[in-house]
Amino acid sequence: MNLVFRHIFLFFLFVICSQRVFAQSHKIDSLREIANSLKGTEKIDALNLLAYEMFSFDFFKSKEISREARNLSIELKYDKGVAEAMINDAVSEWKMGHYSISIPEFKQSFIICKKMKLNHLQGFGLTYLGRNYESLGQLDSSQICYSQANDLLKDNLQPYYLSFLYLNLARLSGLKNEPARQLEYLQMCWSIREKMKNKKYLAHVGERIAAFYNDQGNYEKALSYLDKSQHAIGKDTIDNEEISVIYKQRGLVYIKQGKSKEALNLFYKSLKFYEDNHAPLNLINLHIDIGNALLNIGNYEISLKNYFTSLTAAEANHFEFEWTHSLFLIGWVYFISDQNTLAQDFAEKSLKAAVKNKFIGEEAFALDLLGKLADRRNQHKVAIDYFKKGLTIRNARNDRIGIASTLLNLGITFEKMGDFKNAEIVDLKGLAIEETLNNVLGIAQIHQNLGSLYTKMKQFQKASSYLEKGELASKNNLMPYLLVEIYRNKRDLLVAQLKYKEANDYSLLYEELKDSVHNNNLSNRIFALQYDLQLEKQKKEIKILSQQKDLQSDENRQQKIVIVISLAVLLAVSVVAYLIFIYYRRSKVLNRKIVEQNTEISVQRNFATEQNDKLIEAKIIIEGQNEEIKLRNENLEKEVEDRTKELMEYNQQLEQFAFISAHNLRAPVARILGLGNVLKLSPTSREEEESIIQKLIATTQELDNVVRDLNVILEVKKNSNANVSEINLEKAFRQIEISLEKEIVEANANLVVDFSKALTIYSVKPYVDSILINLVSNAIKYRNLGRPLLIHVKSEIRNNYVCLVISDNGMGIDLNLFRGKLFKLYSRFHRHVEGKGIGLYLVKTQVTAMGGKIEIESEVDKGTTFSVYIKISSSD
């Protein structure tokens, strides 16, 4: 009897267990399992391999495993294990930017390697130590390490270590601007890895050679090496790092060739691999590469998005160098986009991080950007100071490309200051360096600068010569952005020579090419935005399908369980029936046991009843889960509906903005066309001709102002990544008083400031500064000249907001007439005071972007009060 029930239970357990599906373990998990299953020195070797594999995933975990291997090696007196663990530990410290810790660890490991004659291991460690010195900008020390590594590895039987050394020697040659030697080392590395059985190593060097030829403009050669690398991998091109590396570099080549769509497709394939396989360092660097490529084609929005993604990931994973570099790149995009306050903020953060971590190269980049920002503010002496500090760093590193770039910036600043002599000296010095490097872009840029400079110095022959050279190089090397500037400089040169007819020809060329470049940029930006939106939509659909699949899988699994239970019950009932039949046949000869058998049958019936009750319970559970599935589907439909609504609202905003742009650009464009037609009529006197040219220039400046206003508004509307920080209102307002000091003194204004009720807030500082400056400036502009100006500025807590209240006793606004137009673009209510009608619109846009609101109270001839509500939130 007991045996029968045991068989029933075993059958039931077997059926349930047979439904389980186990996923394949990740490579790292497999190595960990292997290491745990081993003992002695074999376990140490496995742990060291695991630590090496963890470099790209988790530095801290890699260090932890290295320490485990080291302690076990010391316990077992296994010197090779100790040396290898120390090298792995030192590499982790280097990757985290802890150079003062990593260098002594490398050197201690070399003592053991020499003692044990582990030449291959010491050579491998010396290669990484050379990389360490590269990071510190000590290229001579790096070269010494590589030379020592070469002596140890050249006759070694492990070719991978030697090829790894050649790959790093190529990198060093690139930093020292020795392209011929760089290519030689890359080809030596390629030759070694081409002969190795494992062809996956070929992909990484092939990608580096392709990058070299891509920088040289030899796209055909670059693609040929990528084709060879992909062919070496073979058919296995799904979900591996090698094909992802090839995709990324092929995308960078396509960007240079103008194939934006193909490039973005490849970039996102690489991104998917690194996202799915949890490789944060590779993912961060890929986002930076994509950002750089998109920046080169003028797609600032998506470029900025990639840089912010790399910044966030680098901070989360403690990758100090990548975090610092991302800060600089974000600042650079803001600089190009004329977002000077944000550019200044990120440049300063980048400089602080670079100095703290001794990232010398990044420090020079940040100093150059701060110099360009100071130059834009016409703080020329401050700019020169920044440039000279950067130049000192780059001279110490023998960074000739960087030196030429800084000299170019210095020349531009000297030229703006009117110091033409020093401008000429630094420009010619930079040109000599660029010609030595054969840097076509750098040479053309300095030709353009010298053409502009000699025009101002009235050395027209020299100016014409340099501009001709710049124009030829720009055309031959497809550099439309630079060609636009050269056409503008040629027009200015001809105007200075009083050659108005030729100047008009170049003016037309300048405008046509500028429009062409702008339209090309706009097309690229629109395409990338559309592609990004499409990608987000696809991800959303994939997520919904995945959720539905998971729900379906759960439902199927539950149905299988019900079936198994049903089978088990059926089997149990069958067994009971069989037992009843057996007992019935024996009833004649076992009459005296009838009572006992009846009792046992009753037990079996109870068991069947219990099983039936369980079936009912399972049915109830399934019905509940079906309801849950239905509810989830409804929620998913609501999410899709909300997303669609968001997209429609965003599309309406784009249409509104396009209408505003067209409306405000129409008038100046019409005037330019009219003046152009008048100019074609050939005025009878030079005075009339000059008068028309002046009106053209004035109208063009008006058009430029409109475009800049619209650009500022667009940047505020789309900037969802602005940094939230703690703001001390008293300190912030003191800076605003300094900025408006001249206007305050001239208006004899009395400012009463009280931030005692809310001294600090957490918000976007550039927006808060802009709001306060606009509202205080308006109070000064629209003051009542018949009485002394009094401005009250205070903070209050209202509900869940910090409220900034700015009130004055000025002219006031008739809200009955103008309330509906207060915060509209280009709305003005006092025509006797100069203004553009953008201030209050920008204030409302910035307040809305921070999730706040703005209210106004005003009475004519009594004054105006603005209440700006900013949400209370934590610094987190």
Side-chain angles (χ1 to χ4, degrees), residues 171-238:
R171 175 189 174 91
L172 178 63
S173 299
L175 291 173
K176 294 169 73 174
N177 303 304
E178 298 171 344
R181 184 166 292 182
Q182 180 184 4
L183 182 58
E184 180 184 357
Y185 282 124
L186 286 171
Q187 288 174 337
M188 290 165 68
C189 180
W190 174 272
S191 178
I192 292 173
R193 294 191 177 184
E194 200 173 24
K195 297 173 184 175
M196 293 171 65
K197 290 183 179 179
N198 193 340
K199 297 299 182 184
K200 73 173 186 176
Y201 296 122
L202 200 63
H204 296 278
V205 64
E207 181 261 341
R208 288 290 85 214
I209 296 176
F212 174 86
Y213 282 120
N214 192 30
D215 291 339
Q216 299 289 319
N218 192 339
Y219 308 131
E220 184 178 349
K221 198 87 169 178
L223 291 173
S224 73
Y225 271 95
L226 292 173
D227 291 340
K228 291 177 185 176
S229 300
Q230 192 162 341
H231 178 73
I233 297 172
K235 295 181 180 179
D236 183 20
T237 57
I238 300 175

Side-chain angles (χ1 to χ4, degrees), residues 39-69:
K39 294 182 179 179
T41 59
E42 290 181 347
K43 179 173 184 175
I44 294 169
D45 290 339
L47 286 172
N48 277 322
L49 177 60
L50 178 60
Y52 183 78
E53 291 289 341
M54 288 293 295
F55 283 155
S56 297
F57 298 89
D58 189 333
F59 295 153
F60 294 100
K61 195 69 177 176
S62 178
K63 278 173 56 62
E64 180 185 317
I65 297 167
S66 296
R67 298 291 167 85
E68 182 183 350

Side-chain angles (χ1 to χ4, degrees), residues 30 86 92 149 210 230 298 374 447 498 515 541 599 629 650 791 853:
S30 299
M86 289 178 72
S92 294
Q230 192 162 341
H447 281 161
L498 306 179
D515 288 343
E541 290 172 352
T599 302
I629 291 169
Y650 182 68
I791 303 173
K853 59 182 180 178

Side-chain angles (χ1 to χ4, degrees), residues 99 130-142 172 175 358-361 393 396-399:
Y99 307 129
R131 287 289 302 276
N132 198 325
Y133 282 126
E134 272 184 33
S135 302
L136 290 168
Q138 300 175 18
L139 301 188
D140 291 338
S141 297
S142 181
L172 178 63
L175 291 173
K358 297 181 181 178
F359 298 148
I360 308 299
I393 291 171
R397 289 167 57 87
N398 192 29
D399 178 9

Side-chain angles (χ1 to χ4, degrees), residues 769-783:
D769 289 346
S770 175
I771 291 164
L772 289 172
I773 285 176
N774 270 298
L775 294 180
V776 174
S777 177
N778 277 358
I780 295 171
K781 278 184 183 179
Y782 305 110
R783 63 186 180 275

Side-chain angles (χ1 to χ4, degrees), residues 153-385:
L153 296 173
K154 61 185 178 182
D155 298 324
N156 195 275
L157 298 177
Q158 298 190 31
Y160 173 77
Y161 289 131
L162 186 60
S163 69
F164 181 66
L165 170 63
Y166 286 152
L167 200 59
N168 283 280
L169 280 166
R171 175 189 174 91
L172 178 63
S173 299
L175 291 173
K176 294 169 73 174
N177 303 304
E178 298 171 344
R181 184 166 292 182
Q182 180 184 4
L183 182 58
E184 180 184 357
Y185 282 124
L186 286 171
Q187 288 174 337
M188 290 165 68
C189 180
W190 174 272
S191 178
I192 292 173
R193 294 191 177 184
E194 200 173 24
K195 297 173 184 175
M196 293 171 65
K197 290 183 179 179
N198 193 340
K199 297 299 182 184
K200 73 173 186 176
Y201 296 122
L202 200 63
H204 296 278
V205 64
E207 181 261 341
R208 288 290 85 214
I209 296 176
F212 174 86
Y213 282 120
N214 192 30
D215 291 339
Q216 299 289 319
N218 192 339
Y219 308 131
E220 184 178 349
K221 198 87 169 178
L223 291 173
S224 73
Y225 271 95
L226 292 173
D227 291 340
K228 291 177 185 176
S229 300
Q230 192 162 341
H231 178 73
I233 297 172
K235 295 181 180 179
D236 183 20
T237 57
I238 300 175
D239 196 30
N240 65 51
E241 183 178 4
E242 288 68 37
I243 193 63
S244 299
V245 168
I246 293 170
Y247 283 157
K248 181 204 75 172
Q249 188 56 52
R250 196 181 291 276
L252 293 174
V253 176
Y254 285 162
I255 283 286
K256 288 281 191 75
Q257 292 181 314
K259 300 177 182 178
S260 303
K261 183 176 181 180
E262 294 89 336
L264 285 171
N265 278 322
L266 292 172
F267 286 152
Y268 287 121
K269 283 183 181 179
S270 293
L271 278 175
K272 187 177 186 307
F273 170 78
Y274 289 122
E275 286 171 347
D276 292 346
N277 289 275
H278 309 291
L281 182 60
N282 293 324
L283 187 61
I284 289 165
N285 286 319
L286 181 57
H287 275 295
I288 290 173
D289 285 338
I290 294 172
N292 292 341
L294 293 169
L295 183 62
N296 286 338
I297 62 172
N299 198 322
Y300 306 142
E301 290 89 348
I302 309 300
S303 174
L304 197 63
K305 179 181 176 181
N306 278 278
Y307 291 151
F308 268 110
T309 301
S310 68
L311 180 74
T312 304
E315 185 174 19
N317 290 279
H318 307 285
F319 297 160
E320 296 292 340
F321 178 82
E322 286 73 19
W323 184 72
T324 305
H325 190 51
S326 297
L327 285 171
F328 164 75
L329 291 170
I330 292 169
W332 180 247
V333 176
Y334 279 135
F335 172 79
I336 296 171
S337 306
D338 292 327
Q339 297 294 304
N340 298 329
T341 304
L342 289 169
Q344 183 80 24
D345 182 36
F346 279 92
E348 288 174 352
K349 287 179 180 177
S350 176
L351 179 61
K352 183 178 179 181
V355 172
K356 175 187 174 183
N357 293 289
K358 297 181 181 178
F359 298 148
I360 308 299
E362 296 304 307
E363 184 179 350
F365 280 128
L367 287 168
D368 261 19
L369 178 53
L370 287 168
K372 291 176 78 67
L373 283 162
D375 178 72
R376 182 175 281 178
R377 295 190 302 267
N378 293 321
Q379 297 175 346
H380 301 309
K381 290 184 179 179
V382 176
I384 288 172
D385 185 48

Side-chain angles (χ1 to χ4, degrees), residues 491 495 499-508 511 670-697 700:
R491 179 199 66 190
V495 169
K499 298 178 180 180
Y500 296 115
K501 188 174 184 301
E502 294 93 328
N504 185 54
D505 293 339
Y506 269 99
S507 182
L508 291 173
E511 293 295 341
R671 285 200 295 276
I672 290 172
L673 291 172
L675 289 168
N677 289 330
V678 172
L679 194 60
K680 287 180 181 179
L681 297 176
S682 302
T684 56
S685 67
R686 180 171 294 170
E687 287 77 15
E688 289 178 343
E689 192 170 78
E690 289 179 350
S691 174
I692 292 170
I693 290 172
Q694 290 302 318
K695 289 178 181 177
L696 274 171
I697 292 170
T700 305

Side-chain angles (χ1 to χ4, degrees), residues 727-738 753-761 772 793 795 804:
I727 304 170
N728 184 301
L729 290 173
E730 283 187 355
K731 291 181 180 179
F733 197 80
R734 279 201 295 272
Q735 293 298 318
I736 290 166
E737 285 180 307
I738 292 170
V753 181
D754 179 16
F755 294 119
S756 60
K757 293 184 180 179
L759 180 59
T760 61
I761 60 174
L772 289 172
V793 182
S795 62
L804 301 180

